[in-house]
Structures are given as structure tokens and as C-alpha cells.
Amino acid sequence: MAELLQTTALSKTFGGLAAVSGVDLSVTEGEIHCLIGPNGAGKSTLFKLIIGTYPPTAGHIKFRGENVTEERPYQRVKRGMSIKMQTPSVFKELPVRQNLHIALQHHVTKAELAREEERLLTLLDLAADAAKPAGVLSHGQQQWLEIGMALALKPKLMLMDEPTAGMSPEETFRTGELIQQLNGLGMTILVVEHDMAFVRQIAQRVTVLHFGKVFARGSIKEILADERVAEIYLGKTHEHL
Amino acid sequence: MLRLVNGAQTVGNGWPFWMSFLAVLAGALVYPMFADSYDVGNFAYFLIWVFMAMGLCLMWGYCGMLSFGQTFFFGIAGYSYGVLAIVLGGGTMTVLALVLAVVLAGLSALVLGYFMIWGRVGGVFFGIVTLSATLVLAFFLGQTAGPEWAIGEARLNGFNGMKGMDPLNIPWFDDETLYFEGASLYYLAIALIVVVYLGLRILLNSRFGNVIVAIREDPQRAELLGYDVRKYQLITFIVGSSLAGLSGVLYTSWGQFITPGSIGLPAAAMPIVWVAFSGRGDITATLVGSFLILYAFQTITVYSQQAALVLMGGMLLATVMIAPQGFVIGIARTIGRLFRGRGAGNATSSNTGS
Ligand SMILES: Nc1ncnc2c1ncn2[C@@H]1O[C@H](COP(=O)(O)OP(=O)(O)OP(=O)(O)O)[C@@H](O)[C@H]1O
Ligand SMILES: [Mg+2]
């Protein structure tokens, strides 16, 4: 199995704080990989290093066999990465449909554009709101829209930072189904999630981050059975896992 | 491509809008036949400034870059036109001078824009840097009174400004020369406005336009969709600034003089007032609004220049406090709603071009 993404000794410090330190992470083509860890563990920072919004303090990032450490985010996106950030970032004053249009326009032919827009709107259950400015959608819907925009790029590797935050249990479950469906179509997915039920629903492999370092890795079963992992989630221990 | 004159980024897409557009255009074309030549010349003068306003609307309203540098590029091109028209020997070389002057403004925008955008100068600092550049240029030109400040025959003349360049002219029938003054300048300005206005509408409703409004809304998200944001910002800055350059050339040609006063403050603040008051979010609002404001101010300035400036400040204040999106656009939207209410307009906003 080929490695799609590989980080080597990846580190990021903010002032004196090592938000990410010496992380070796590899994501295999075709898997759903979950990244978990307590608040402040460095998960979002790691994502930003992978997509390129932050330059790393040290280390390398390889994507599809190429060293992309020095590349700008748009270049990595063109290589096949796509991200849904932790805080929803959609074009708030633009209509929902135009949000999708902007995501689609550079790689979909004119003839297919309208069809793709419709397909995504239906998939995201936003067809009724297509003409509304994205800013008036509920938090959960904005998350969906952003996921839709990220998907519109037809990425090889999809990064999702807490895709279910602010969603109802029902929406969360549907998101899980969507992720599995996309994975079935061959998309590799790396997900940050707090909701362990959700992680159980989708994960194939799990990496646990703690204080910026890789704390444990393994299958979802192994991670759930790991006492140490339960401990670092102290306060929301066993009943949560 | 022509279909893109209508789309998501422009207000006024249905037939009522285009009928009104044609009516106004027809009115503008026959106007000189009924008005006296003094008024026609005055109108030409107002029209000259509209390019600068449309350029700012593109950069600020559509791409989120508030440039205080419109008069900088106005000055670069205006002075360049003056120097080139003199150095190249005037006559029909003035057309070449026009082209080169606008190109020079565009190149200056390329250089200044490159350093700002690649240097991550954003938000308020974008305004501060462009304003600084403008003030520096005005100050520099102000101290060029001495005879050493000359390029060939062309004296810069400090605060008194440069003069003596030929107005724009082209060879005409029967070995005559057509000087763009009065009515002919008026028609030239109208023609250029139609071309620039329609061109900008097409640009704005194209893929390019979709990307720049995305950048205005959220530059990071735009980049994460695979767009090289800095490149789009730079191109927008060059186009918007070059339009200010076009205004500068026409201005110099119109009066056959230009002074540093048309670059520094308060001149530099004027385009911001026009565009803010008109509605920076829409190119049509900016076109119509800027013209109306210029017209109103000319009328008031005749009585008192101070009153005009105070009023200008008051208008900016009123815009910020009462109608942050602009007054003309507010009125246009209301009219649009009335039309749609009667089912006459084009009610869908789903036409996003491509
Ligand atoms: N831009 C920044 N400047 C300074 N410190 C930062 C910055 N971004 C993150 N940090 C710090 O780095 C650490 C890791 O933050 P990060 O957002 O990556 O955590 P996380 O695992 O995503 O947490 P959460 O589960 O709360 O989203 C935190 O201590 C945070 O305060
Ligand atoms: Mg996070």
C-alpha cells in the first residue's frame, strides 16, 4: 500500500510553545485515518502544517511522493489536498450556490458546472437554500457547505478538522455516512474528531496526539483498549470512550 | 463571453436595466447637439474622473483592497503623458503618449503592488502604504520647480505644474487634425466609459470576478480552493490603478496642464468618497454615483470651494454612519425590489457566470 502523505519530524513552535513536535505521521492511500487528542494537543496546528497555512519550524511533508514542505497552500491543493477547517470558513456574503461554483469553476467544464452544483446541493441538503447568502445558514449547515466546497475539488486527500462540531446527533451520523461513502469511492480521509462514537463509526486507523507529540497509534480497537489513552482524556474518560 | 455582461457580481441584469442603459447612452450621445459647448466641456471633465472611481470600485468593493493610491497612478500617468507628449513632439504622437503613460501607471502598480502583496501588507496597512506613496509623489513633484527638473523640453515646474503639452489628437479626414477638446473629448470619454464599463462587467462576472469576490470574503478559503490569491490581487491592483492612469492622461490632455495638487491630499481622498458614497460593491452604482457627485460638486464649488470640501467630508460621514454600503446602491436595490415586486425583473440570483 502506498503512502499518500508522510510527515517526518514535523514541528511547529509558537514563541516558546511546541504546538507540534517531531510528528511522524503517515496516511495510507484509501484509508480513513482519525487524529484524536485532548484540547490543545496540536491537531489543528498539524493540519495547518500539512495544508501549508503555517510553515513548519522543522521537518518535512511528503505528498504523493513529492516533498511539498516549501509549497504554498494553493499548490498543495492543486496536487490533490483539500481541507475543511475547524472554524467554518465560507464566503458569507455570497449565495450558497456561488460558494460551490467558486470551488468548482477551475476544474469542471462549463457544461458540467450546473449539474455538479445541483449534485452537491442535493448531497449537502442545501438545495432549498441555494440562493441565500452563506452567512445566514446555521452553524451546522455552514460546516456542510464548507465540506461540500472542499469535496468539490475532488481531492485525493481530504483533511477534516472536527467536521461534526455543532451538528445534531442525526447530522453527525449522516456526516459519518458521507465520509464512508466518499472513502468507498477511493478518497483518502484524515479526520480530527472529539466525538468518540463518531470515531468508532468511521475510523480504520487512529493516531493520538498529546502535547504536540504522537502518543499512540493503532487500530480503533487497540486505541480504545489502551489505558494510557483513556487517561489523557481524563475527566471525559471511559464512559466517553 | 458577451453573456457575462450579466451575472452575480453586477446589479442590473434584466431587460429593464439594459433598456435604461440604452436610453441614458442615447441621451448622452445627443446631448451635445442641444447643450452649449461650455456645458459639454464641463461634462467631459466629469467623465474623465469616472475611470479612477471604477478602478477603485474594482479593487476595494470587489477585491477588498482599499487603495489610497488612485491619485498616485493618476499623477504618474498624467505627468508621463505631459512629458511624453512634449518629448515625442506632440501631434498625433499624443496617442502613443497616452498608451505609454497608462502602461507606465500599470508598471508602477505592478512594482508597488508586488512589494505590498508579496510583503503581506494587508488591511489598514494597504491603505497606509498607498497613501504614503501618494504623498511622497506629491511632495517630490512639488519641489521640482528648478530648471534642473526637466526631461528634454519638458519642465516639471514644481507646484505650478507642467504645461505646454498638446492635447490628444488624431489625423482626421481631409488632412485635418481632430483635437480631443470640448465635444470630441466628451464623445471620446463616453466611448471609453462604455468600453471600460462593459469590459469590467464581463471581467467581474467571469471566473476571475468570482475569485476576487471570494478573496474579498475570505482570502484564506480562496487560497484553499486552489487559487493563487496574490496573483489575483496583483492583477486586480494593476487593472484598477491603470484606470486611474487613464483618468490622469485625459485630465492632463483636457487642461493641458497638471499640478502636484491633483495627487496629494485632499485630491487623494476624493475617489474614496465617490466610491463609498455611490456603493463600492457595484460597478454601475459607482459609475452613476461618481458622475452625479462630480456634477453636484462642480455646481457647489462655483459658489464656495470650502463648502464643497466640507460637504464632501459630511457625505463620507453620512455614508459610514447611515448607509455603509453606499447610497446609490441602496436606491438601486430598492428600485430593483419594486420591479421584482411587480414581476418584471429577473428575480433569480442563481446566474453566477463562469
Ligand atoms: N497561531 C497560534 N499562535 C500561538 N499559539 C497557537 C497558535 N495556534 C495554536 N496555538 C497553540 O498551540 C497549541 C495547539 O493548538 P491546536 O489548535 O493545534 O490544538 P487542537 O489539538 O486543535 O485543539 P482543539 O481540540 O481545542 O481544537 C495550543 O496550546 C494553542 O494555544
Ligand atoms: Mg483544533
Side-chain angles (χ1 to χ4, degrees):
Chain A
M1 274 191 295
E3 300 298 349
L4 187 67
L5 176 78
Q6 206 161 20
T7 71
T8 317
L10 200 61
S11 304
K12 178 73 184 175
T13 51
F14 295 110
L17 177 86
V20 169
S21 92
V23 169
D24 297 325
L25 173 74
S26 69
V27 177
T28 307
E29 197 155 358
E31 73 171 331
I32 299 179
H33 195 126
C34 280
L35 192 61
I36 64 171
N39 287 327
K43 305 176 298 288
S44 296
T45 305
L46 180 59
F47 264 31
K48 287 175 187 165
L49 292 172
I50 294 171
I51 199 74
T53 41
Y54 293 152
T57 312
H60 299 285
I61 302 157
K62 245 180 162 183
F63 182 59
R64 299 170 82 183
E66 307 271 347
N67 185 351
V68 298
T69 318
E70 301 293 323
E71 286 189 348
R72 293 186 45 84
Y74 80 92
Q75 291 169 310
R76 302 183 197 199
V77 169
K78 283 189 171 162
R79 285 185 185 277
M81 288 190 197
S82 191
I83 188 170
K84 182 240 156 256
M85 308 282 266
Q86 182 168 351
T87 43
S89 68
V90 294
F91 306 123
K92 290 204 163 68
E93 282 188 20
L94 305 181
V96 169
R97 182 188 295 274
Q98 195 179 356
N99 270 266
L100 292 171
H101 185 104
I102 292 166
L104 287 165
Q105 68 174 10
H106 57 49
H107 58 98
V108 173
T109 63
K110 230 174 182 174
E112 281 175 82
L113 248 172
R115 195 147 29 89
E116 269 296 292
E117 281 172 23
E118 289 311 323
R119 190 182 70 78
L120 284 168
L121 284 170
T122 315
L123 179 76
L124 304 170
D125 207 10
L126 288 171
D129 303 306
K132 288 187 192 158
V136 308
L137 298 179
S138 72
H139 186 82
Q141 284 178 311
Q142 289 189 23
Q143 300 256 70
W144 272 89
L145 177 58
E146 192 181 354
I147 292 172
M149 289 161 75
L151 285 178
L153 306 178
K154 296 227 161 79
K156 287 264 180 290
L157 173 65
M158 178 79 180
L159 305 164
M160 296 176 138
D161 198 344
E162 305 199 10
T164 68
M167 286 186 186
S168 67
E170 193 186 320
E171 288 173 323
T172 302
F173 184 73
R174 277 206 303 140
T175 309
E177 285 187 324
L178 174 67
I179 290 176
Q180 285 175 314
Q181 192 187 334
L182 294 167
N183 182 245
L185 297 170
M187 194 179 288
T188 309
I189 301 165
L190 181 59
V191 189
V192 167
E193 235 338 305
H194 275 300
D195 181 341
M196 288 308 286
F198 181 75
V199 172
R200 229 178 325 202
Q201 184 192 352
I202 61 168
Q204 294 158 1
R205 280 211 295 166
V206 179
T207 298
V208 185
L209 219 56
H210 188 39
F211 289 127
K213 292 196 170 70
V214 174
F215 182 80
R217 56 179 118 222
S219 69
I220 177 73
K221 272 216 185 72
E222 290 163 350
I223 295 299
L224 286 175
D226 192 330
E227 296 271 322
R228 297 179 314 137
V229 174
E231 263 167 44
I232 66 167
Y233 271 99
L234 218 66
K236 41 177 173 177
T237 41
H238 292 289
E239 78 261 51
H240 227 85
L241 296 181
Chain B
M1 197 174 84
L2 276 178
R3 273 184 32 226
L4 291 175
V5 291
N6 291 322
Q9 262 77 252
T10 49
V11 170
N13 293 316
W15 63 265
F17 172 78
W18 288 109
M19 294 308 277
S20 330
F21 174 81
L22 288 177
V24 171
L25 182 60
L29 290 177
V30 297
Y31 170 73
M33 294 164 200
F34 300 101
D36 72 57
S37 64
Y38 174 79
D39 284 340
V40 174
N42 248 344
F43 263 62
Y45 172 78
F46 306 141
L47 295 176
I48 282 170
W49 299 93
V50 163
F51 302 99
M52 180 148 105
M54 289 197 287
L56 181 62
C57 171
L58 173 73
M59 294 188 283
W60 182 24
Y62 286 94
C63 199
M65 295 187 288
L66 174 50
S67 170
F68 255 93
Q70 285 303 73
T71 56
F72 176 87
F73 300 103
F74 179 95
I76 294 274
Y79 270 90
S80 299
Y81 172 79
V83 169
L84 287 163
I86 292 171
V87 169
L88 295 173
T92 49
M93 292 307 268
T94 52
V95 176
L96 181 63
L98 173 142
V99 173
L100 290 178
V102 173
V103 168
L104 274 173
L107 285 176
S108 320
L110 172 73
V111 174
L112 184 64
Y114 178 83
F115 283 111
M116 285 193 300
I117 294 162
W118 263 255
R120 291 174 213 282
V121 175
V124 184
F125 292 99
F126 198 88
I128 293 174
V129 173
T130 45
L131 179 61
S132 307
T134 307
L135 297 180
V136 166
L137 181 68
F139 180 79
F140 166 76
L141 288 167
Q143 54 85 58
T144 57
E148 71 275 23
W149 294 105
I151 300 165
E153 298 282 286
R155 282 274 303 271
L156 296 182
N157 264 339
F159 272 114
N160 294 327
M162 60 174 311
K163 48 185 180 293
M165 64 291 283
D166 277 356
L168 280 167
N169 62 81
I170 53 172
W172 204 240
F173 301 107
D174 304 327
D175 288 335
E176 296 220 12
T177 304
L178 176 66
Y179 283 94
F180 287 106
E181 290 170 318
S184 56
L185 180 63
Y186 172 87
Y187 281 117
L188 176 68
I190 295 274
L192 286 172
I193 285 173
V194 170
V195 170
V196 168
Y197 171 70
L198 294 180
L200 283 175
R201 281 187 72 116
I202 290 171
L203 183 73
L204 286 168
N205 289 320
S206 71
R207 285 173 41 167
F208 184 90
N210 275 325
V211 178
I212 66 173
V213 295
I215 292 171
R216 174 193 70 201
E217 294 294 307
D218 188 339
Q220 173 170 288
R221 181 33 76 191
E223 167 131 23
L224 292 175
L225 293 178
Y227 297 106
D228 187 352
V229 167
R230 300 187 297 193
K231 195 179 80 186
Y232 283 88
Q233 287 174 323
L234 184 60
I235 294 173
T236 305
F237 188 64
I238 293 173
V239 174
S241 303
S242 301
L243 286 172
L246 181 57
S247 284
V249 170
L250 294 174
Y251 172 80
T252 305
S253 167
W254 169 79
Q256 288 121 63
F257 84 116
I258 180 165
T259 70
S262 53
I263 298 169
L265 287 169
M270 294 303 164
I272 312 234
V273 178
W274 305 333
V275 174
F277 182 84
S278 307
R280 64 178 185 276
D282 186 68
I283 195 74
T284 311
T286 295
L287 173 65
V288 175
S290 304
F291 179 80
L292 293 177
I293 296 171
L294 281 154
Y295 181 69
F297 271 80
Q298 171 84 355
T299 316
I300 295 165
T301 307
V302 170
Y303 301 104
S304 157
Q305 193 160 10
Q306 277 77 9
L309 276 176
V310 169
L311 198 68
M312 196 71 107
M315 268 167 53
L316 189 58
L317 215 60
T319 307
V320 172
M321 295 177 64
I322 303 168
Q325 300 303 320
F327 281 99
V328 177
I329 188 70
I331 294 165
R333 292 233 164 92
T334 310
I335 295 173
R337 265 195 295 276
L338 290 178
F339 262 106
R340 274 198 284 281
R342 289 192 282 128
N346 178 357
T348 60
S349 55
S350 62
N351 182 2
T352 42
S354 55

